[in-house]
């Protein structure tokens, strides 16, 4: 078996500076009560918060200075991300842009796209959505049918995307579309990514409400939407390799094991300083998971900093991280029973639990289902 | 350049020792030898080769007569020994020798037994003229009957911790074994008198007892044995055919093995955390986190590795059991996961919810 190695690098100077800065920023935000840590997380949209984070120099710090970034390492970015999550910061307005769309444009976009978009991302003013899944193409991503047809210097896009988180707030999407037919042997050819400007005509957003009544998902319809060729991301037909590379960023972050971290905090405080044996054992068990997950996360950020592409390690981290995220509310309700209610104003633990129980099913779906991830791992094990 | 930089030199030295150990284990730990060890045989030649290669003194500083590898490197030897299911007390001897060197400044030859190995067991010690006198019975002491010395943690009436280096033949020994068929003897030590030179104040890593040092080495062995069990399972499903195709081609099999590969990966990360914590503040809590995480993973991992082997994995025909029986034994030794989880939980609750993150982020569990 390939011996999975998760060596933990020492934090470089930029990461230490990032840590100092983000802690200072978050302490200020929390002291001012700008958001509710126990009810928000990285997938909570708060444009003003993201703008303030951008002004504090905490968004997309890895981008080069010429595009508004600070040229810092992936470890610096990772440290900022995990501090945000540990504090329940509402990061969604800049999260996707910073985590995956921006890096794609930086690596594969045209110079015009870089100049136009990256500085806005760094300023925390630019919201992206991910246009990968389609009504008939979820986990089976190669089955996308949305089509772009060349017309002079432009492309004309028709089709639909689904599960597009935050499309209703997004300034841009990166959409994966078909630019030529799949050949019989290889379904992965003929896919290309484009930057979609949501302000232009020909794109419509329809909400899909989640089970808790929240509006995060959308359907996005393209009707003769025109995109110039210089908003293409990467070579024609290179879309498949790019999305698999992008998914390593999407899967490897602390957002795969810290989504419900605030419940951990609320749980410990609810149990109090004198836990009974059962409570202590279960909390200790969770902490033992978290500590190993944190090491894995730091290790992967180190691999990214070193220029590696840790796709398998990312799948492993997301898989075990999601198991933890899913288990946390279940442990909480058993060791600190409450009838969780969304309207338990003032009873933070109850509110948090109510929130998490209803959102936990999404953890093992978004960014690749548990089954898809295990397929990726199985391939690395040589089983397929 | 590399020979003039001490850090490079150390890294090179570690790599050489690890490679030698790997070669030795791979060549010498045969199925026949493991079966003989299961029957109670002591593979003396193998032990001699291990000592000759300096493995037992890997963690002991050069100044005290040891090899002087960094502990984080030396402990990788135990992961290897776990992978190869070495039927000898290298783990106990290595960590015991390091503790005694720290307490006394001297190297001690092996093999060494260490103890106590169970939470709640306690050896008592009291001054008796210029000597010390022991009281107590310790159970499940690894290879006590075969060891040159037993290195035991003891407490005096005031609660102070000591290390006692007890020569072979002290007190009475009752030979026993664990489910890995490794010797785990009972030591009856009431009234045993030891000279002052063999008693030292316990160093930091074992001030509270022998459990943390023991759990540290067991977690390293355990991730090694987990990797071996997974290797056996992967090889088997790629070879064994049913319904006209390899077991590996069934999604149900792939999904299960991928899941436990994740458990192996996270266990490995946890064990690394403990390995790197030797000699640092928060050592005991780092070990607690590792033993808890690794111990918990054993059940699901061995479950799947056995399941994919079908009935063959439940026999002595295939070698899987050498790894899995040891895992089932080791997870209970030096505190099982419940013991350590409780310690961690009490620590986390005492500090409060907001304090936990700093400890996690900075990897400082003081």
């Amino acid at each position: 078996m390939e011996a999975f190695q998760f060596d933990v690098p020492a934090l470089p100077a930029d990461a230490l500076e990032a840590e100092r800065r983000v802690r200072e920023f978050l302490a200020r935000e929390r002291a001012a009560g700008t958001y509710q840590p126990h009810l928000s997380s990285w997938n909570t949209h708060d444009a003003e918060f993201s703008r303030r984070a951008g002004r504090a120099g905490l968004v997309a710090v890895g981008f080069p200075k010429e595009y508004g970034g600070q040229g810092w390492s992936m470890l610096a970015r990772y440290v900022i991300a995990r501090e945000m999550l540990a504090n329940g910061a509402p990061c969604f307005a800049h999260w996707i842009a910073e985590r995956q769309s921006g890096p794609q444009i930086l690596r594969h976009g045209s110079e015009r796209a870089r100049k136009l978009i990256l500085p806005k991302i760094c300023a925390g003013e630019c919201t992206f959505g991910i246009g990968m899944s389609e009504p008939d193409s979820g986990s089976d991503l190669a089955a996308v049918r949305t089509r772009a047809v060349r017309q002079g210097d432009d492309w004309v896009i028709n089709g639909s995307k689904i599960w597009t988180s935050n499309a209703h707030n997004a300034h841009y999407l990166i959409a994966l579309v078909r630019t030529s037919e799949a050949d019989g042997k290889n379904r992965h050819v003929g896919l290309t990514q484009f930057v979609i400007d949501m302000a232009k005509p020909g794109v419509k957003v329809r909400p899909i409400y989640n089970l808790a009544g929240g509006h995060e998902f959308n359907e996005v319809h393209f009707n003769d939407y025109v995109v110039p060729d210089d908003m293409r991301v990467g070579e024609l037909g290179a879309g498949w390799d790019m999305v698999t590379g992008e998914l390593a960023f999407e899967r490897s972050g602390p957002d795969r094991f810290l989504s419900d971290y605030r419940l951990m905090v609320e749980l410990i405080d609810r149990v109090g300083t004198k836990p009974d044996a059962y409570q202590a054992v279960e909390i200790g068990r969770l902490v033992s998971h978290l500590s190993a997950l944190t090491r894995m996360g730091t290790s992967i950020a180190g691999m990214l900093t070193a220029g590696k592409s840790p796709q398998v390690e990312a799948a492993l981290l997301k898989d075990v991280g999601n198991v933890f995220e899913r288990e946390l509310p279940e442990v909480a309700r058993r060791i600190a029973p409450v009838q969780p209610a969304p309207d338990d104003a003032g009873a933070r633990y109850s509110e948090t639990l109510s929130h998490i129980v209803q959102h936990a099913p999404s953890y093992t779906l978004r960014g690749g289902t548990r089954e898809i991830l295990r397929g990726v791992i199985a391939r690395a094990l040589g089983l397929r | 350049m590399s020979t003039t930089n001490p850090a490079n030199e150390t890294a090179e030295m570690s790599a050489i020792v690890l490679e030698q150990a790997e070669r030795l284990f791979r060549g010498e730990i045969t199925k026949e030898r493991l079966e003989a060890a299961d029957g109670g045989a002591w593979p003396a030649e193998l032990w001699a080769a291990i000592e000759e290669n300096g493995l037992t003194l890997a963690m002991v500083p050069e100044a005290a007569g040891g090899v002087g590898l960094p502990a984080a490197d030396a402990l990788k030897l135990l992961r290897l020994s776990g992978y190869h299911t070495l039927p000898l007390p290298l783990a106990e001897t290595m960590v015991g020798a390091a503790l005694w060197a720290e307490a006394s400044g001297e190297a001690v030859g092996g093999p060494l037994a260490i103890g106590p190995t169970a939470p709640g067991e306690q050896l008592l010690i009291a001054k008796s003229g210029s000597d010390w006198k022991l009281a107590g019975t310790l159970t499940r002491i690894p290879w006590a009957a075969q060891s040159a010395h037993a290195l035991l943690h003891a407490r005096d009436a005031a609660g102070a911790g000591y290390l006692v280096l007890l020569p072979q033949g002290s007190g009475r020994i009752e030979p026993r074994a664990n489910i890995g068929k490794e010797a785990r003897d009972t030591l009856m030590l009431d009234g045993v008198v030891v000279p002052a030179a063999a008693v030292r104040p316990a160093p930091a890593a074992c001030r509270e007892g022998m459990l943390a040092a023991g759990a540290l080495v067991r977690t390293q062995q355990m991730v090694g044995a987990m990797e071996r069990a997974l290797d056996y399972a992967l090889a088997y499903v790629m070879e064994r055919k049913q319904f006209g195709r390899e077991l590996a081609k069934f999604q149900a099999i792939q999904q299960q093995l991928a899941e436990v590969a994740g458990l192996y990966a996270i266990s490995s990360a946890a064990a690394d955390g403990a390995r790197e914590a030797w000699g640092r503040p928060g050592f005991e809590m780092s070990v607690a986190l590792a033993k808890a995480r690794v111990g918990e993973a054993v059940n699901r991992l061995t479950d799947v590795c056995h399941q994919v082997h079908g009935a063959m994995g439940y026999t002595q025909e295939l070698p899987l059991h050498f790894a899995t029986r040891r895992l089932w034994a080791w997870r209970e030794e030096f505190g099982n996961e419940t013991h350590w989880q409780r310690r961690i939980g009490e620590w986390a609750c005492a500090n409060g919810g907001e304090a936990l993150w700093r400890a996690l982020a900075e990897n400082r569990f003081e």
Side-chain angles (χ1 to χ4, degrees):
Chain A
M1 190 182 72
E2 180 189 343
F4 305 119
Q5 274 291 121
F6 288 93
D7 293 332
V8 177
L11 290 185
D14 59 7
L16 292 170
E17 170 61 15
E19 187 169 67
R20 191 191 61 75
R21 235 189 248 184
V22 69
R23 283 180 176 169
E24 212 176 271
F25 171 76
L26 287 166
R28 258 200 327 269
E29 290 287 320
R30 291 189 59 183
T34 61
Y35 68 95
Q36 292 182 288
H38 74 292
L39 288 179
S40 54
S41 182
W42 63 271
N43 53 340
T44 306
H45 182 89
D46 180 343
E48 284 310 310
F49 178 88
S50 290
R51 221 179 286 270
R52 289 194 299 275
R55 270 203 299 275
L58 295 169
V59 179
V61 295
F63 293 3
K65 288 198 171 127
E66 52 178 311
Y67 300 117
Q70 294 163 71
W72 283 358
S73 64
M74 284 300 290
L75 276 159
R77 191 257 158 193
Y78 168 77
V79 163
I80 291 169
R82 71 182 188 184
E83 291 293 322
M84 291 282 192
L85 292 174
N87 284 277
C91 291
F92 211 35
H94 69 269
W95 198 257
I96 306 285
E98 180 199 50
R99 182 182 70 188
Q100 60 194 95
S101 310
Q104 286 282 39
I105 292 167
L106 179 64
R107 282 188 180 183
H108 307 290
S110 68
E111 190 55 30
R112 185 170 82 87
R114 289 189 201 142
K115 285 206 169 109
L116 176 70
I117 296 168
L118 299 183
K120 289 193 277 190
I121 293 179
C122 296
E125 291 171 356
C126 188
T127 300
F128 263 78
I130 304 167
M132 290 193 195
S133 299
E134 294 186 6
D136 294 321
S137 165
S139 290
D140 181 11
L141 199 52
V144 299
R145 290 202 305 222
T146 296
R147 182 168 302 275
V149 177
R150 185 93 197 209
Q151 210 171 69
D153 288 339
D154 296 330
W155 294 83
V156 179
I157 297 181
N158 280 286
S160 298
K161 293 289 173 184
I162 199 168
W163 314 129
T164 319
S165 294
N166 224 10
H168 56 300
N169 292 313
H171 303 101
Y172 299 99
L173 306 182
I174 289 185
L176 178 71
V177 304
R178 203 154 263 303
T179 42
S180 66
E181 291 307 317
D183 76 30
K185 281 173 244 133
N186 188 354
R187 304 166 62 230
H188 300 157
V189 302
L191 296 168
T192 305
Q193 296 207 97
F194 288 96
V195 179
I196 306 296
D197 182 344
M198 299 298 282
K200 286 175 54 174
V203 54
K204 274 212 180 72
V205 175
R206 189 185 75 81
I208 303 175
Y209 294 96
N210 67 32
L211 63 82
H215 179 195
E216 184 188 330
F217 292 141
N218 299 280
E219 250 181 353
V220 179
H221 301 285
F222 297 98
N223 189 3
D224 288 335
Y225 176 89
V226 178
V227 56
D229 188 53
D230 65 3
M231 287 293 132
R232 172 163 50 78
V233 187
E235 296 299 313
L236 205 58
W240 180 262
D241 287 340
M242 287 174 52
V243 294
T244 41
E246 184 177 331
L247 286 167
F249 286 97
E250 183 173 346
R251 286 170 181 163
S252 65
D255 35 350
R256 301 312 176 189
F257 61 94
L258 291 176
S259 297
D260 49 14
Y261 184 75
R262 294 310 299 180
L263 178 57
M264 190 76 199
V265 177
E266 296 298 334
L267 172 64
I268 290 172
D269 288 344
R270 172 80 170 199
V271 163
T273 54
K274 300 254 177 276
D276 64 28
Y278 177 45
Q279 291 168 325
V281 163
E282 287 296 310
I283 287 173
R285 188 164 76 81
L286 293 170
V287 174
S288 79
H289 290 213
L290 263 175
S291 134
L293 288 165
T294 306
R295 287 185 65 87
M296 291 172 84
T298 312
S299 173
I300 290 180
M303 295 178 205
L304 290 168
T305 296
K308 296 179 190 152
S309 181
Q311 291 178 20
V312 178
E313 288 84 353
L316 283 163
L317 173 61
K318 181 173 184 314
D319 187 38
V320 290
N322 285 169
V323 169
F324 169 80
E325 288 181 335
R326 289 295 296 268
E327 207 181 356
L328 173 54
E330 184 59 21
V331 171
R333 56 169 286 278
R334 280 192 275 112
I335 68 172
V338 67
Q339 296 186 30
D343 56 359
D344 233 350
R348 284 197 320 217
Y349 170 71
S350 166
E351 281 192 320
T352 309
L353 188 58
S354 163
H355 181 77
I356 300 297
V357 163
Q358 297 182 80
H359 290 84
S362 71
Y363 302 162
T364 37
L365 301 172
R366 61 190 188 190
T369 65
R370 180 194 288 149
E371 291 69 23
I372 288 290
L373 294 170
R374 290 184 179 170
V376 171
I377 297 165
R379 180 167 289 120
L381 295 172
L383 299 176
R384 42 193 299 242
Chain B
M1 285 296 280
S2 63
T3 49
T4 57
N5 181 332
N8 282 350
E9 215 172 292
T10 307
E12 255 172 54
M13 185 69 187
S14 296
I16 290 169
V17 173
L18 280 162
E19 199 194 307
Q20 280 171 344
E22 165 76 29
R23 206 174 321 130
L24 177 68
F25 295 158
R26 195 171 288 282
E28 299 297 321
I29 305 173
T30 58
K31 187 159 187 267
E32 292 68 36
R33 207 162 227 163
L34 285 168
E35 279 164 358
D38 272 4
W42 171 265
E45 289 159 45
L46 182 53
W47 182 258
I50 285 170
E51 288 205 316
E52 228 162 81
N53 278 284
L55 307 189
T56 55
L57 296 177
M59 275 170 82
V60 174
E62 278 180 286
V67 178
L69 295 189
D73 289 348
L75 287 162
K76 289 183 183 170
L77 287 167
L78 301 181
R79 191 178 178 137
L80 275 181
S81 78
Y83 182 88
H84 292 285
T85 60
L86 172 70
L88 284 166
L90 173 59
E92 292 81 353
T93 305
M94 223 175 87
V95 76
L99 290 172
W100 186 249
E102 205 182 326
S104 72
E106 288 159 23
V108 56
L112 285 180
I114 59 171
T117 67
E121 282 196 12
Q122 184 81 72
L123 182 62
L124 298 175
I125 191 167
K127 266 280 181 197
S128 169
S130 61
D131 297 328
W132 295 81
K133 194 185 264 186
L134 304 179
T137 290
L138 299 179
T139 65
R140 322 228 60 87
I141 301 300
W143 283 284
Q146 287 93 344
S147 293
H149 291 92
L151 184 71
L152 304 173
H153 180 271
R155 244 180 235 292
D156 69 12
Y162 296 86
L163 278 182
V164 182
L165 188 67
L166 215 53
Q168 166 82 273
S170 314
R172 282 196 301 129
I173 292 186
E174 204 177 276
R176 305 282 297 272
N178 67 14
I179 54 181
K181 302 257 175 72
E182 298 173 307
R184 295 293 187 263
D185 306 330
T186 304
L187 266 179
M188 287 155 277
L189 299 170
D190 278 337
V192 169
V193 175
V194 276
V199 178
R200 300 295 161 102
C206 61
R207 189 149 298 142
E208 298 305 315
M210 198 56 87
L211 294 186
L216 164 68
V217 296
R218 284 293 180 269
T219 55
Q220 309 307 312
Q221 294 170 282
M222 285 165 80
V223 290
M226 286 167 106
E227 187 182 347
R228 188 60 173 282
L230 251 174
D231 271 352
Y232 283 135
L234 292 170
Y236 188 78
V237 300
M238 287 188 224
E239 184 195 308
R240 170 82 172 162
K241 284 186 180 163
Q242 289 286 277
F243 306 101
R245 51 183 175 150
E246 292 87 16
L247 294 182
K249 299 299 165 206
F250 291 87
Q251 278 200 356
I253 302 283
Q254 293 172 1
Q255 293 275 313
Q256 289 183 63
L257 286 169
E259 178 200 341
V260 297
L263 289 181
Y264 162 68
I266 191 173
S267 298
S268 175
D272 285 348
R275 188 164 58 76
E276 290 167 13
W278 177 265
R280 295 200 187 155
F283 165 71
E284 190 174 12
M285 196 51 68
S286 294
V287 170
L289 291 162
K291 189 72 163 49
R293 178 58 275 207
V294 177
E296 186 193 337
V298 166
N299 180 51
R300 181 64 181 149
L301 184 132
T302 56
D303 171 5
V304 168
C305 289
H306 273 284
Q307 189 68 18
V308 302
H309 273 86
M312 280 302 282
Y314 175 60
T315 69
Q316 294 193 340
E317 309 283 315
L318 293 183
L320 175 64
H321 69 97
F322 292 121
T324 54
R325 282 187 293 110
R326 280 175 174 78
L327 283 168
W328 296 326
W330 293 343
R331 65 180 169 178
E332 310 299 351
E333 297 177 352
F334 300 102
N336 72 6
E337 59 267 31
T338 314
H339 170 81
W340 292 111
Q341 285 160 349
R342 185 169 176 181
R343 289 286 300 274
I344 301 163
E346 284 168 352
W347 167 85
C349 287
N351 291 327
E354 287 291 353
L356 177 62
W357 176 249
R358 280 266 173 138
L360 290 167
E362 291 167 15
N363 193 24
R364 280 163 45 155
F365 301 95
E366 290 160 54

